[in-house]
Amino acid sequence: MNGANMDMDMNTDGGNGRHGAGGRGRVVAGLRRRLVRRRIRIRRTRGRRLRRAIVVLLTVLANLVGAAVVAYHLTKIPEPHPETAMQSTVFVDDHGDYLGRRGPVDRQEIPLSQVPRYVREAVIAAENRSFRTDTGISPKAIGRAAWSTVSGGGRQGGSTITQQYVKNALLSPEQSLSRKAREALIAIKLDRTRSKDEILRGYLNTVYFGRGAAGIQSAARNYFGVDAEDLTVSQGAALASVINIPSYYEKAGSDPKVTAKLVDRWQWVLDAMAHSGAITSAQRAAARFPAFRFYPPGDTDGQRQYLIDAAASEAADRLGITEDQLARGGYTVRTTFDLTAQDATAELAADGAEKKTREQTAGAETAGEKAAEEKASGVTRSRARPAGDVRVHTAVVALVPGDGAVRVLYGGADYATQPFNDARDGAVEAGTALQPFSGMKLLAPLTGLARTAAPTPLRLASAYATAAAHGVYATPYTVAKITRAGRTLYEAHPRTRTAMTPDGAGLITKLLYGRSGAPVATHTGAAGLRTLWQTAYDEHLTLTVALFAEHPAKGKKAALPAPLPYTAESRSLFVSEGVWSKIVGTAEGHDPAAEPNPGLPTGQTKPILATR
């Protein structure tokens, strides 16, 4: 029985095994049927679903394009930043040499016509070689900048010239996707509504070049001491190379490492210019890396600020604006000054002061020398040396008789320590300096001059210039011409009137020529021991030197007059003769009569500057 049961169990297990295998097969077969049906269904609906996806994609694209079109039409080209509209006013001397500037931003706007074509092409080669053909944007650069912003990377460059102009002049400098998108829209609109030359002009007048210079005109002056229109091919390529990293490259010329790196970039720019045909192969072969002005530059105190003060005041008055408006207006003021003569005057005055110090220290001035000086000057001085700390002031004025143009205006040793201009504004005790005019009938504006106790050196020089011009008084002036963006706004003309009779003027001149025995009329005057005046003139130039001394103010104690040192006469003559020879008649082959001046009476001429 037990055996039968075992057989039955075995048969039962075998049956279950066969039944289990058949079930699994049916399950697999069912899955296969469902998979086949699904594949058939996918094939049947594939086209419909693809069409749906395309519709969705096109809808998204249409919405994006529509949004972009709407954004483009709603985008307005903003006005330039106030700071990019600001300009500085530049002052130059009578020969165009740079004196200095006034204004919050070192920038002067110039028309594109004043930028040589090869300079423009150098900037395009350095910054955006597709500028003439692109649409104002670089999709690749925008994508790179966007990825950098999203990924937290550093700032990315590579924008087109149009984008750089928009960023620098029209938008804030923040780095964000929204600002970058707005920059692109404005750049596209700018490119479609303005010419490439207009965009390039705006860019060149606002891009930063380092050394505090915004715009090509200021950069040309700060790096090479020339106007933009005078830049050479090599200089233009160098400035274009600087734009890439201006804060680094601005040290070129003084830092060898920076200079070497800039030379490499400069060569790269020139090669691109030659390849594009912007310059010839001969110009490329002849190019030499230009000499940069030393950086950082020295300050503009010393003498130049005296000149700029005087010219700025006069220029603002001529234009009918304030000096602050003048400083921000982007003017170029050509002055009447001769910078070389001015610098020479400063050197002579300093040399005279050092000479005085050496003589006082060494006790070199003998009694015989003192007596000779007293006899020559007609002034007797006390033998006592001045006690205490004494400061000797020197003021020098040189101007053109019958014209009024001021060539030299030396008002102090250093503007930084004494901004007050002794030559223009200082009241210096006259004493016998006005003696030649006593008893003479003087007309306006010299009326009452002979009774003036303390005239300014400028006024006294203009009085002697009237005698030199046969009685014709010319109002002194320091501004010859004012321009802005290539347009002349003001040009000086001599303002003259008769202030003394020709006979009276001739009598003064004859007296002073006879007294000195020199080839020019001279007069020495003084007010006791406190002041000393030395004036010399001919028909071409009038030169006045004034010396006075004081005990400097200390604390609440005001400055007090002091006697001049023993060597005042020799110092005055040293400066007067040195300045005169520097300005007139000492240059071999120069003839003052060879340059006519319509502002002078018949037979007179403008002085030829021997320093040129």
Side-chain angles (χ1 to χ4, degrees), residues 31-49:
L31 289 174
R32 287 175 178 172
R33 287 193 296 272
R34 284 195 294 272
L35 182 59
V36 169
R37 288 196 295 270
R38 183 177 180 86
R39 286 176 178 172
I40 294 172
R41 192 162 55 248
I42 288 173
R43 282 197 295 269
R44 289 175 179 174
T45 61
R46 180 183 297 168
R48 185 169 63 252
R49 285 184 292 107

Side-chain angles (χ1 to χ4, degrees), residues 229-474:
E229 62 186 350
D230 297 321
L231 287 168
T232 65
V233 170
S234 293
Q235 290 171 337
L239 287 181
S241 303
V242 164
I243 297 173
N244 179 245
I245 320 174
S247 60
Y248 178 78
Y249 288 131
E250 68 183 2
K251 300 179 184 64
S254 59
D255 186 317
K257 182 179 179 181
V258 173
T259 303
K261 187 171 182 178
L262 184 60
V263 168
D264 289 341
R265 183 168 175 82
W266 170 79
Q267 291 175 336
W268 174 74
V269 170
L270 284 175
D271 289 341
M273 293 174 69
H275 180 73
S276 68
I279 58 174
T280 65
S281 56
Q283 287 176 306
R284 175 64 186 95
R288 298 293 181 270
F289 191 74
F292 278 39
R293 297 178 70 187
F294 184 79
Y295 185 81
D299 59 42
T300 55
D301 291 328
Q303 289 304 301
R304 299 189 180 197
Q305 289 299 336
Y306 290 116
L307 308 184
I308 292 173
D309 273 357
S313 175
E314 185 176 324
D317 183 64
R318 295 290 178 263
L319 296 176
I321 59 178
T322 65
E323 288 192 44
D324 183 63
Q325 290 172 320
L326 177 79
R328 297 169 182 266
Y331 302 94
T332 296
V333 179
R334 181 177 285 268
T335 69
T336 62
F337 304 120
D338 178 72
L339 184 56
T340 303
Q342 182 78 22
D343 290 344
T345 302
E347 291 175 7
L348 289 164
D351 287 346
E354 290 175 3
K355 180 181 178 182
K356 171 188 72 71
T357 302
R358 289 195 301 269
E359 288 180 349
Q360 284 185 337
T361 302
E365 188 175 43
T366 66
E369 289 171 338
K370 293 178 188 178
E373 286 183 1
E374 290 168 357
K375 182 178 179 180
S377 64
V379 178
T380 302
R381 294 192 170 275
S382 169
R383 300 291 180 184
R385 294 185 181 276
D389 182 24
V390 174
R391 177 183 297 169
V392 177
H393 292 252
T394 302
V396 183
V397 176
L399 50 80
V400 181
D403 180 276
V406 179
R407 298 297 183 214
V408 172
L409 191 67
Y410 179 86
D414 188 356
Y415 186 92
T417 57
Q418 180 198 306
F420 184 82
N421 191 323
D422 288 328
R424 185 182 67 158
D425 305 313
V428 183
E429 195 173 359
T432 59
L434 291 171
Q435 192 176 57
F437 301 99
S438 61
M440 179 174 292
K441 183 179 180 180
L442 300 176
L443 305 177
L446 298 182
T447 305
L449 175 66
R451 298 186 300 275
T452 303
T456 66
L458 181 59
R459 190 180 184 206
L460 187 133
S462 66
Y464 279 100
T466 303
H470 310 294
V472 176
Y473 174 87

Side-chain angles (χ1 to χ4, degrees), residues 13 53 98 132 147 149 182 216 238 278 292 304 325 366 373 380 529 545:
D13 291 341
Y98 181 74
R132 296 292 183 188
W147 172 252
T149 300
R182 188 167 178 234
I216 188 71
F292 278 39
R304 299 189 180 197
Q325 290 172 320
T366 66
E373 286 183 1
T380 302
L529 303 177
V545 179

Side-chain angles (χ1 to χ4, degrees), residues 52-65:
R52 287 177 182 174
I54 291 174
V55 168
V56 171
L57 179 61
L58 290 177
T59 301
V60 172
L61 289 175
N63 287 334
L64 290 175
V65 171

Side-chain angles (χ1 to χ4, degrees), residues 41-103:
R41 192 162 55 248
I42 288 173
R43 282 197 295 269
R44 289 175 179 174
T45 61
R46 180 183 297 168
R48 185 169 63 252
R49 285 184 292 107
L50 181 61
R51 287 192 295 273
R52 287 177 182 174
I54 291 174
V55 168
V56 171
L57 179 61
L58 290 177
T59 301
V60 172
L61 289 175
N63 287 334
L64 290 175
V65 171
V69 171
V70 171
Y72 174 83
H73 286 289
L74 291 178
T75 297
K76 294 182 179 180
I77 299 175
E79 292 296 320
H81 295 313
E83 56 267 29
T84 60
M86 289 180 185
Q87 303 182 59
S88 63
T89 286
V90 169
F91 297 82
V92 298
D93 80 347
D94 188 49
H95 298 270
D97 290 341
Y98 181 74
L99 284 176
R101 70 174 181 90
R102 287 281 170 86

